[in-house]
Amino acid sequence: MNKETNKIMIIVQTAFMAALCYVGFAVFRVDIPVGATKTAFHLGNTFCVLGALLLGGVPGGLAGAIGMTLADLTSGYASSAPKTFFMKLLIGLIVGFVAYKIGHISERRHQKEIAFWAIISSISGMIFNVIFDPIIGFLYNKYILGLPQKAVDIMLKWTATTTIINAILAVCLASSFYMVIRPVLHKQGLIIHKNIVKKL
C-alpha cells in the first residue's frame, strides 16, 4: 500500500476500533451503584489497549478516547466523559509507545517476542490506569463535581477495585486478541507499515 492508502486505512481502522471501544463499555458492562454515582466492570479498556497494539499510540489512543467517551455520554456516565477522554488517550499513547518505540513490535517475527512485547505494552498502559484513574477520579469527583467527602471516599475504593479487575482483563484479552489478529492482518496486507507508525 502507498502512503495515502495507508493513511486512509489508519482512519478506517481507528474508527472501527473506536466502535469496538464503544461496544466494550456500552454493551459489555456490569454497573456497580455507589451511592448517587456508579462505577463498572467493562471491556472498554481491552479494546483501547488492542487498538494501540494494532494501530500505534496516537490512533489507538484516539480510538479509545472517542469510543469510550461516546459510551460514557450514552450510558449514564456523562459526568465522567472528560476524564475518560483524557485517560484513554494516555493509555493508548503509553501502550503504543512501549510496543512500537521500545519493543519495535512491528519489526519482530518470532511469536514469543511479539507476545512478550504485547503483554509488556498492555501492562504498561494498565499500570498507568490503575495508579492514576482512581487518583484523577478522586480529584475530579471532589473538586470538579463537588461530591461530599464520604461519597468521594467510597467511590475511590470501588473505583480502585473495578480499575484493577478491568486492567487484568485488558492485559489478558488484548494481548491474546492481538496475537490472533496480527497474523491475519499481516497476511491480508492490512498491517500498518512501520514507517507510518513511527510518524504517529
Side-chain angles (χ1 to χ4, degrees), residues 4 6 12 15 38 53 59 61 120 123 129 142 155-156 170 173 178-179 188-189:
E4 286 304 313
N6 255 325
V12 172
K38 56 184 175 178
L53 288 173
I120 291 299
I123 289 173
N129 195 55
K142 184 174 177 63
M155 189 65 181
L156 176 63
L173 294 176
Y178 178 74
M179 293 304 296
Q188 297 299 320

Side-chain angles (χ1 to χ4, degrees), residues 5-186:
T5 304
N6 255 325
K7 287 183 178 179
I8 293 171
M9 187 61 65
I10 290 171
I11 292 171
V12 172
Q13 291 176 339
T14 300
F16 178 72
M17 289 309 304
L20 286 180
C21 289
Y22 177 90
V23 171
F25 184 83
V27 178
F28 298 102
R29 183 185 80 246
V30 177
D31 291 323
I32 309 295
V34 184
T37 60
K38 56 184 175 178
T39 184
F41 298 112
H42 61 84
L43 295 184
N45 288 343
T46 295
F47 295 110
C48 180
V49 171
L50 179 61
L53 288 173
L54 290 171
L55 309 178
V58 174
L62 285 174
I66 293 169
M68 291 187 67
T69 298
L70 289 174
D72 272 0
L73 293 172
T74 58
S75 304
Y77 287 83
S79 63
S80 299
K83 177 176 75 77
T84 293
F85 187 93
F86 176 73
M87 289 297 298
K88 304 318 171 187
L89 178 61
L90 288 179
I91 288 171
L93 291 174
I94 291 169
V95 173
F97 179 80
V98 175
Y100 286 90
K101 301 296 184 179
I102 298 177
H104 304 287
I105 199 168
S106 63
E107 301 169 29
R108 298 186 182 276
R109 295 294 174 263
H110 298 294
Q111 290 295 98
K112 288 184 179 180
E113 291 182 352
I114 295 169
F116 174 81
W117 283 107
I119 293 169
I120 291 299
S121 303
S122 301
I123 289 173
S124 299
M126 288 298 95
I127 285 177
F128 164 80
N129 195 55
V130 165
I131 293 172
F132 287 100
D133 189 76
I135 294 173
I136 292 175
F138 174 86
L139 297 174
Y140 186 79
N141 289 330
K142 184 174 177 63
Y143 297 108
I144 303 298
L145 299 183
L147 297 179
Q149 184 64 48
K150 185 176 181 179
V152 171
D153 291 340
I154 294 172
M155 189 65 181
L156 176 63
K157 293 176 183 178
W158 275 103
T159 300
T161 301
T162 56
T163 300
I164 290 170
I165 294 173
N166 291 336
I168 293 170
L169 285 172
V171 170
C172 295
L173 294 176
S175 54
S176 298
F177 290 161
Y178 178 74
M179 293 304 296
V180 173
I181 295 171
R182 175 191 160 112
V184 176
L185 292 180
H186 192 272

